[in-house]
Amino acid sequence: MQLTILGGGGFRVPLVYGALLTDRHEHRVDEVVLYDTDPGRLHAIARVLQEMAAGFEAPPRVRTTLDLDDAVTGAEFVFSAIRVGGLQGRTCDERVALDFGVLGQETTGPGGLAYGLRTVPVARHIAGRIAELAPHAWVINFTNPAGLITQAMQQVLGERVVGICDSPIGLGRRAARALELDPDRTALDYVGLNHLGWLRGLRHDGRDVLPELLGDAALLEGIEEGRLFGADWIATIAALPNEYLYYYYFTREAIARIRGSAQTRGEFLLDQQEAFYAAVAADPDSALAIWRRTRAERDATYMKEARALDEARDAVDLEGGGYEGVALALMAAIARGERTAMILNVRNGAAVQGLPAEAVVEVPCAVDGAGPTPLATRPLEGHMLGLLQQVKHVEVLTIRAATERDARVAVEAFALHPLVDSVDTARVLLAGYRERIPQVDALFA
Ligand code: G6P
Ligand code: MN
């Protein structure tokens, strides 16, 4: 079984390969094709994988290519984890917004829209090539902003595109552990869009145990979300928000903290990642050790602006297992028909009342050989539904602006985003992004 990874030179690819190495099932991935636009990155990651495979019996073969058509041909699964414009682009997404006093972040707020604008045409081109060359392949999309990009790709490929993210499962695991329950024996009542959702229930042995956590400030303080939002606010809304809701509930504080630090997340990663690829090129024999060190540093500083200055991250959160775990479980369920439940980004259908059927939502799904089916969710409180509807509308506008190359629609998307506080700001944001990011400018030129 061939797995193709688009963005195969990306830093998190070894996580996926590491998970594949532990899979001993008869029907498993035996060939990994890494596709990237940058041969240097591809080479560095291939070196890391080579070292990882040492000592394993019959590890998946790894092949690299710079040719998209070659990469997707023969694939049963395609993971898409590309970053159009690179980390350089991410720094512009952040800075342009921050310079105008609004949130500058990878996926949330106007930064996420700028990222979405330049990624949609590339993602749709990829979808078109897959439709032609690997029409039966399943596409697992990690490419951010993941909900928006999954929806754009579904317009070409239909429901064979499934978006994934590690944050809902991470949240569910932390909630279960806080109650000293086995995360694998709990079911999550989670609902939202990617990076914009809430855990509203946690079932264990048929009983909802979440109220016990929400009502216990001391237990809440023991997990990242509890410290982030405060026990009082969590009790007020009676749900545990995804960590990305920090940017909505504490917008001012988030902006102030990001602007107050010497580097944005993108700027930190740009330096860190450049150093990583250079170090591997200089010393290929140490590729795996360099990767491990760099990864530990990256994970330890994740979403730093949302934590107290001296707060170290929980050991269990640093262990990971989220991103690659979700991807592998999804693939296993589809390829082998192993029925399972997981939170995925899929076409809504009738799962969330109040959102369009074709909207991609992040909800619990039943997965089997036929793919994921979203499970029905309970009706949402007004403040939640309103936020989801508005942000989804903005995502749809962003996709339209990028596909129709319509700058007016792009301004509309920025202006209607809940984290952009004026239509004039929307206009200067688009102008700023066009000035700083060639791929955004090219769309409307
Ligand atoms: C989480 C999110 C991803 C996001 C990443 C950013 O894993 O689910 O969607 O891209 O964090 O992490 P970074 O280390 O790049 O700041
Ligand atoms: Mn994510």
Side-chain angles (χ1 to χ4, degrees):
M1 181 158 87
Q2 176 188 328
L3 166 67
T4 293
I5 306 183
L6 309 178
F11 186 76
R12 290 198 174 98
V13 167
L15 297 174
V16 176
Y17 191 70
L20 292 175
L21 281 171
T22 63
D23 185 0
R24 305 314 302 164
H25 197 281
E26 209 181 310
H27 188 46
R28 63 173 184 267
V29 170
D30 57 8
E31 181 171 18
V32 178
V33 178
L34 304 180
Y35 161 80
D36 208 286
T37 53
D38 180 333
R41 288 163 55 93
L42 213 42
H43 191 67
I45 292 301
R47 278 308 294 244
V48 176
L49 304 193
Q50 194 186 332
E51 266 191 68
M52 289 175 85
F56 280 88
E57 201 187 312
R61 289 185 304 280
V62 177
R63 185 164 77 78
T64 62
T65 178
L66 297 166
D67 184 291
L68 177 63
D69 285 5
D70 172 33
V72 298
T73 303
E76 269 182 63
F77 288 92
V78 177
F79 285 8
S80 177
I82 60 170
R83 191 178 284 283
V84 178
L87 283 166
Q88 182 69 49
R90 181 168 172 178
T91 66
C92 300
D93 295 338
E94 297 164 338
R95 277 298 170 198
V96 168
L98 293 168
D99 285 350
F100 293 120
V102 289
L103 178 71
Q105 206 277 333
E106 180 193 21
T107 60
T108 305
L113 301 189
Y115 189 17
L117 280 174
R118 68 176 174 278
T119 307
V120 163
V122 180
R124 288 173 65 106
H125 170 71
I126 289 170
R129 298 316 295 150
I130 295 171
E132 185 160 332
L133 298 168
H136 301 296
W138 283 88
V139 180
I140 302 178
N141 180 56
F142 305 110
T143 299
N144 270 326
L148 187 161
I149 296 302
T150 299
Q151 190 160 335
M153 292 182 86
Q154 283 199 351
Q155 291 173 356
V156 181
L157 274 169
E159 291 184 68
R160 301 185 76 81
V161 188
V162 181
I164 69 166
C165 178
D166 56 344
S167 65
I169 182 75
L171 169 62
R173 263 202 309 243
R174 286 188 284 277
R177 286 217 182 89
L179 291 164
E180 295 182 8
L181 300 173
D182 176 1
D184 295 331
R185 291 191 50 206
T186 57
L188 307 177
D189 172 3
Y190 181 91
V191 62
L193 308 181
N194 180 238
H195 291 186
L196 181 55
W198 300 264
L199 185 69
R200 297 184 300 167
L202 183 68
R203 298 196 79 75
H204 182 262
D205 285 342
R207 196 167 66 86
D208 183 13
V209 293
L210 192 64
E212 288 160 38
L213 177 59
L214 301 190
D216 189 325
L219 285 184
L220 278 174
E221 293 292 322
I223 64 173
E224 287 194 350
E225 286 78 6
R227 296 188 291 272
L228 193 56
F229 298 103
D232 186 62
W233 180 241
I234 290 171
T236 301
I237 60 168
L240 208 46
N242 181 295
E243 58 196 348
Y244 279 86
L245 273 158
Y246 175 72
Y247 300 114
Y248 287 90
Y249 293 147
F250 295 92
T251 313
R252 233 172 239 269
E253 292 77 5
I255 294 170
R257 291 177 74 160
I258 298 172
R259 290 178 89 175
S261 54
Q263 284 186 313
T264 62
R265 180 65 174 167
E267 287 161 354
F268 165 77
L269 288 173
L270 182 61
D271 288 353
Q272 189 216 38
Q273 297 283 302
E274 269 178 10
F276 163 75
Y277 288 100
V280 173
D283 182 10
D285 291 339
S286 306
L288 182 56
I290 300 168
W291 180 80
R292 287 205 174 114
R293 210 184 315 124
T294 310
R295 185 201 164 202
E297 185 192 37
R298 183 174 191 162
D299 286 354
T301 53
Y302 171 68
M303 219 181 251
K304 194 160 65 68
E305 66 269 21
R307 288 194 307 277
L309 277 184
D310 52 351
E311 187 187 322
R313 296 195 67 210
D314 247 330
V316 281
D317 296 334
L318 289 172
E319 268 167 31
Y323 162 88
E324 64 280 13
V326 180
L328 271 276
L330 173 60
M331 224 165 52
I334 294 176
R336 304 168 194 159
E338 289 168 8
R339 205 177 158 80
T340 182
M342 52 202 310
I343 297 169
L344 299 166
N345 288 270
V346 295
R347 184 178 187 277
N348 179 38
V352 183
Q353 291 165 45
L355 289 177
E358 66 281 6
V360 165
V361 294
E362 194 168 80
V363 291
C365 298
V367 194
D368 61 18
T373 308
L375 304 172
T377 60
R378 286 186 283 132
L380 282 152
E381 299 251 347
H383 70 96
M384 294 175 174
L385 181 59
L387 191 51
L388 297 184
Q389 286 176 327
Q390 192 169 354
V391 172
K392 181 49 74 180
H393 186 74
V394 166
E395 289 185 2
V396 170
L397 290 171
T398 306
I399 295 170
R400 225 178 80 204
T403 42
E404 294 170 13
R405 307 174 66 136
D406 189 332
R408 197 156 172 230
V409 177
V411 169
E412 188 183 355
F414 282 112
L416 292 179
H417 196 290
L419 298 180
V420 174
D421 55 8
S422 131
V423 175
D424 277 341
T425 306
R427 294 192 178 112
V428 292
L429 278 168
L430 181 63
Y433 284 128
R434 289 187 60 174
E435 203 181 300
R436 294 278 304 272
I437 308 174
Q439 295 95 333
V440 174
D441 191 50
L443 270 182
F444 306 114

